[in-house]
Amino acid sequence: MIELRDISKNYRMGELDICALCGVSLSVKQGELIAVMGPSGSGKSTLMNVLGCLDRPTGGTYTFEDREISAMSDDELAHVRNAKIGFVFQSFNLLPRFTALKNVEMPLVYSGVPGRLRTERAIPVLEKVGLQDRMFHKPTELSGGQQQRVAIARALVNRPPLLLADEPTGNLDSRSGAEILNILSDLNHQGVTIMIVTHDHDVAARCKRIINLKDGQVVGDRLRT
Amino acid sequence: MNFLETFKVALEAILSNKMRSGLTMLGVIIGVLAVILLVSIGEGARVYITKELTGLGTNLLIITPGKTTTSGGFHPPSAGTVRKLTYDDAQALRRRAWLLTDAVPIVLGTGRIKFRNLGRDTMVIGTTPEFQRVRNLFIGIGNYVSQNDVDTKAKVVVLGTKVKEELFGDQNALGQVVMLSDARYRVVGVMQKKGTSLGWDVDDVIFIPVTSGQDLFSTDSLFEILASTPRAEDVERAIAQIKDILIKRHAHKEDFTIQTQGAMLSTMDTILGVLTAVLGGIAGISLLVGGIGIMNIMLVSVRERTREIGIRKAIGARNSDIMAQFLIEAITLSGVGGVIGIILGVGLALLIPLFVTVLPTSVSLWSIAMAFSFSMAVGVFFGVYPARKASLQDPITALRYE
Ligand SMILES: Nc1ncnc2c1ncn2[C@@H]1O[C@H](COP(=O)(O)OP(=O)(O)OP(=O)(O)O)[C@@H](O)[C@H]1O
Ligand SMILES: [Mg+2]
């Protein structure tokens, strides 16, 4: 499904050239549940942003579902983000002025789904993450765990084959974190490919594959048995 | 993403910051209001003057002494060397210019009219009976100056209503004797009340026979000759006829000017059209300033909502979606401001004449259409830069923005 070959991401800081990713190669198969681990500053978020088409790598090739991402135009990337990849952030990134329902409907707006149909499709997804009675609340009226569940519902509403989560439980207490994790592993059982960045070994323990990063390089990639 | 959706998003953004949106709109509102108001005042002046000039009587020809090459305009300055227009010239036109219904000799001056201990400085017009018809000013009580009065240089006077009221009040004026520059005149009539026309009070005038007027002002020349033709199509031929007759009488020199009412009208029309355009242009500048206000607010708004832009892009918004969102927001601000400005402007333009009677206004559809499309254009013009700036943001940089 995903094929990274020699991906690098460099930042110019004055005279210095910092590489956040220095030649990362890996492949991901349909239906995997992967934990991405590594010390702070090792390039985990950078990797996720590249995978999520939010950021363009400075070198290497990225193939997603047999299509070359690096060669795509801005509009094509927007389409991939909209339909193919769900992204869950550590800091939720909901639109504060809109209700949970409107937030979840938002990706459908950009895929051109008409108004009534959007609501019809958003409601079951909110039910799936257990928020049927919070649909008309704004993000500020929700707890952190609830906000993250809205964000997951938003990431799922277009039924993308890939879900990327960058420290989804990082801002949550352990109980909310566990709930989020249950939702993600349920999704994986339904066939969604998931990659989770985490510092938590308990989280990693629930994944079948663990990728370790250090200084922008893959230093470990093992399957749990 | 369709237009209605984008429009809803824009409207939501505008409503979420009512105070700021309102103040931004105010710039456009004032601009549009000023355009509508000033143009309607300019137009009003045009309509008013056109109406007044048309009211002077149809197919009027004004013959003045002296030659000017300028067509139209009001009375040319009479040079000292030119030959004068005389009563006999008018008589000749009357007899021989068969295309003219009237040729009215006119002398003009000011004089002091006295009745008992009351006196008044007023305009004195020496005319013939046809003056009434040519200028659409008619006798109210008694009689106007008659041809016999003209022939005999009779010392008779017809009073404008204002002069009559000032000197006689409610008393009957007919038959009374007034003093006009040390000569005794008998009042034979009082005009109908007419009011102000083109800035002078036609009720504050007195009329005497043209011949008596020449005596009064010690002159043998005329101020002008007013002529009229029955049909508009005849105007050109009538001018030729007048020239033919007068040139022969004036030693084969064209030392007079014939103005037509049509030429005067078009001159005034041009002057007032330019005036209206200048007023509109000045008001347009304030609309432009309003547009800069919109750009300013949109730039602030783009910066404030950088994170929102990042989120929208992360879930699949294309650059054009973001561009449309901010552009429509700017156009909505200016469009709504434009509509409010039009409503207020038209309302004020209709109210003004009720309170300030000397300021006639005329709201024209084209000024409304122009003000509205101009305000929309301002929204597009000043919205494009901020919207483009928003749309070109890099998603990950925008998401990190605090
Ligand atoms: N915009 C940027 N400009 C310059 N350097 C950057 C930028 N973004 C990231 N970096 C650098 O790239 C490296 C990797 O950053 P990244 O955010 O991927 O780390 P991370 O593994 O997600 O860390 P954490 O666990 O703390 O989230 C860091 O050294 C960071 O300083
Ligand atoms: Mg990170």
Side-chain angles (χ1 to χ4, degrees), chain A residues 135-150:
Chain A
M135 288 194 297
F136 301 106
H137 288 59
K138 297 210 170 149
T140 45
E141 302 157 359
L142 296 170
S143 74
Q146 289 168 334
Q147 287 185 58
Q148 194 60 300
R149 280 188 275 163
V150 173

Side-chain angles (χ1 to χ4, degrees), chain B residues 380-392:
Chain B
V380 173
F381 186 79
F382 290 105
V384 160
Y385 174 68
R388 206 179 131 69
K389 207 172 153 155
S391 76
L392 291 181

Side-chain angles (χ1 to χ4, degrees), chain A residues 47-61:
Chain A
L47 176 63
M48 294 302 257
N49 293 338
V50 168
L51 286 172
C53 301
L54 291 169
D55 213 354
R56 287 179 187 271
T58 35
T61 52

Side-chain angles (χ1 to χ4, degrees), chain B residues 105-151:
Chain B
I106 299 219
V107 289
L108 194 67
T110 53
R112 186 161 183 82
I113 180 169
K114 278 188 284 193
F115 177 65
R116 304 216 172 112
N117 56 341
L118 292 171
R120 184 172 179 82
D121 289 310
T122 185
M123 188 178 282
V124 183
I125 301 179
T127 66
T128 57
E130 295 80 18
F131 179 80
Q132 293 183 88
R133 194 163 58 204
V134 171
R135 278 296 317 266
N136 277 341
L137 296 171
F138 294 99
I139 190 76
I141 315 161
N143 297 306
Y144 194 73
V145 173
S146 71
Q147 188 58 46
N148 189 45
D149 293 334
V150 175
D151 292 342

Side-chain angles (χ1 to χ4, degrees), chain A residues 35 37-38 198-207 210 212 222 224:
Chain A
M37 300 191 74
T198 183
H199 289 289
D200 188 340
H201 288 281
D202 295 338
V203 174
R206 299 181 63 164
C207 300
I210 299 172
N212 263 293
R222 61 192 166 87
R224 277 187 343 109

